[in-house]
Amino acid sequence: MLKSVLLILMFFMSLSAHAVVILQYHHVSEDTPSVTSVTPAQFRQQMAFLSDNGFKVKPLSEVVESIKQGQDLADKTVAITFDDGYQNIADNAHPILKEYGFPYAIFIAVEPIEQKYRDVMSWDTLNRLSREGAELANHSWGHEHLIRHDINETQDEWLTRIEDNLLSTEAEILAKTGQHLKMLAYPYGEYNLQLEALLKRHGFVGFGQQSGAAGKYSSLTALPRFPVAGVYAELSSLQAKLYSLNMPVLALEPANTQLSMGNWRPELKITLDMSDIYPHQLMCFVQGQGAVKPLWTSENEFTVRAALDLPAGRSRYNCTAPSKATGRYYWFSQAWVRPKNDGTWVEE
């Protein structure tokens, strides 16, 4: 009897063994836009929580390699990332991370550094942080909306331009810092199937801005991260996410996050491994529209669809479900991006 119980416990523990929560920050500052910021006090509180509660903060490249190889990750594994390379990361975040001995990654665009933007770190500063353990990775040449075509640009011309952009950025990071991690954070969290295929062809790993724990059920060209800023900057909001599990998604469609013209209420179909999930406890949420009950079409397949048109720009469908074994929540997010009705894009 005891042996059977132990086997069952080991089975349920194995369901979450590959999960890692990847945190995404932009600014750590009191005088930057709140929608992309946490204050230094909030950041210190969050890092203290990780330290005091047994979280294992690992280098991003290490957890990516573990996912690639199907290796187990310790429970409560976390990776910390920063987008854009703002100077306040060096001034305010780095000393706190160094105090706790936490590794982290910075995704950088080359053009703002070369043009010496006032609020962006220099190559000298980035190299200093690199020598102290920071990983430096690709965020495109000029922080472009990568999925957007130039005027009269063909599909092949667009793909060639983006390929040149990403490879040139990677080469420049290597030349200036010696780092060559082949990890890309999509600017604005925007990507599509063609961009994912490009990354795969060149051996890159891609990171979005859709929420959820990452692991063996995640696409290596669209790994999720939890944005920490604005209304999500408080520790009370972050705690549940830190304990989240990798939703066991076996298949989904449509896989393309870029919506076709007029398809502003996409129906998402997901197939799950239901071993640790009760279907009646799974709930989905449409950004800006609230909770939506999934429609189960079989024992392990459901659909979810927005009741209203998604707005132009970026949106999300989020789905969560508690684990039968632990009560902790599986968390999955599907990103969507759409143009305006006339085919043009929202200006940012």
Side-chain angles (χ1 to χ4, degrees):
M1 177 67 178
L2 178 59
K3 183 178 180 181
S4 297
V5 171
L6 288 174
L7 287 172
I8 292 170
L9 287 174
M10 289 174 64
F11 168 73
F12 282 124
M13 288 174 65
S14 71
L15 292 173
S16 59
H18 297 272
V20 55
V21 169
I22 306 172
L23 303 179
Q24 179 214 13
Y25 295 90
H26 284 88
H27 294 285
V28 178
S29 173
E30 293 181 340
D31 55 8
T32 47
S34 62
V35 70
T36 54
S37 302
V38 298
T39 67
Q42 288 172 323
F43 188 74
R44 175 173 287 281
Q45 183 187 37
Q46 292 162 8
M47 297 305 103
F49 182 86
L50 295 177
S51 179
D52 294 344
N53 290 275
F55 287 88
K56 293 83 175 176
V57 181
K58 299 294 185 181
L60 185 63
S61 62
E62 182 179 316
V63 299
V64 164
E65 189 60 27
S66 294
I67 295 172
K68 283 182 177 179
Q69 301 300 326
Q71 299 168 347
D72 284 353
L73 290 161
D75 188 32
K76 299 196 295 185
T77 294
V78 171
I80 298 169
T81 70
F82 299 91
D83 284 10
D84 305 333
Y86 292 111
Q87 180 62 39
N88 57 62
I89 301 308
D91 296 339
N92 301 329
H94 179 73
I96 297 171
L97 291 160
K98 189 174 180 180
E99 178 183 331
Y100 283 101
F102 289 165
Y104 63 95
I106 309 172
F107 290 100
I108 53 176
V110 170
E111 186 175 77
I113 303 172
E114 299 288 356
Q115 295 189 1
K116 295 180 169 52
Y117 285 19
R118 180 176 57 84
D119 56 350
V120 171
M121 283 184 266
S122 66
W123 287 118
D124 285 345
T125 300
L126 288 164
N127 274 301
R128 174 175 66 83
L129 300 188
S130 174
R131 288 192 296 271
E132 297 183 21
E135 295 185 325
L136 307 176
N138 198 319
H139 203 33
S140 81
W141 188 267
H143 201 278
E144 298 88 354
H145 291 271
L146 296 179
I147 66 171
R148 301 185 185 184
H149 290 214
D150 288 342
I151 296 174
N152 297 324
E153 187 176 46
T154 67
Q155 179 76 4
D156 287 344
E157 290 169 341
W158 164 76
L159 196 59
T160 297
R161 175 172 59 85
I162 298 305
E163 182 176 39
D164 291 344
N165 180 313
L166 300 182
L167 295 182
S168 296
T169 303
E170 192 71 16
E172 189 69 8
I173 294 172
L174 173 61
K176 291 296 176 59
T177 72
Q179 297 210 31
H180 182 43
L181 297 173
K182 301 184 84 169
M183 300 190 301
L184 169 74
Y186 300 112
Y188 309 98
E190 296 176 354
Y191 59 95
N192 58 23
L193 286 179
Q194 294 79 15
L195 193 49
E196 288 188 78
L198 175 64
L199 263 61
K200 186 175 182 180
R201 185 161 70 250
H202 287 285
F204 276 71
V205 172
F207 297 84
Q209 295 183 20
Q210 76 278 14
S211 55
K216 67 178 182 179
Y217 297 104
S218 305
S219 166
L220 283 166
T221 52
L223 290 170
R225 296 184 292 168
F226 281 108
V228 189
V231 296
Y232 305 113
E234 293 294 336
L235 182 60
S236 57
S237 169
L238 186 59
Q239 286 186 39
K241 298 171 184 176
L242 289 170
Y243 288 97
S244 63
L245 306 174
N246 184 215
M247 184 74 82
V249 176
L250 302 178
L252 65 85
E253 59 179 74
N256 198 358
T257 65
Q258 184 176 350
L259 299 177
S260 57
M261 286 298 297
N263 180 29
W264 307 149
R265 303 183 192 184
E267 181 179 78
L268 180 65
K269 181 166 69 174
I270 295 180
T271 305
L272 295 179
D273 179 339
M274 299 297 293
S275 304
D276 192 37
I277 295 174
Y278 291 116
H280 68 277
Q281 291 184 318
L282 187 140
M283 181 58 71
C284 296
F285 304 83
V286 174
Q287 185 176 350
Q289 299 183 30
V292 177
K293 287 186 177 181
L295 175 63
W296 289 93
T297 56
S298 72
E299 291 182 352
N300 68 336
E301 184 179 271
F302 69 90
T303 63
V304 60
R305 186 178 188 182
L308 306 172
D309 287 357
L310 299 180
R314 296 179 294 276
S315 299
R316 306 283 185 270
Y317 287 0
N318 294 330
C319 295
T320 62
S323 159
K324 294 178 186 178
T326 68
R328 289 162 60 180
Y329 273 79
Y330 291 100
W331 193 307
F332 171 81
S333 179
Q334 174 73 357
W336 305 112
V337 60
R338 56 151 289 196
K340 294 185 284 189
N341 289 334
D342 63 1
T344 62
W345 293 94
V346 175
E347 294 298 326
E348 295 179 89

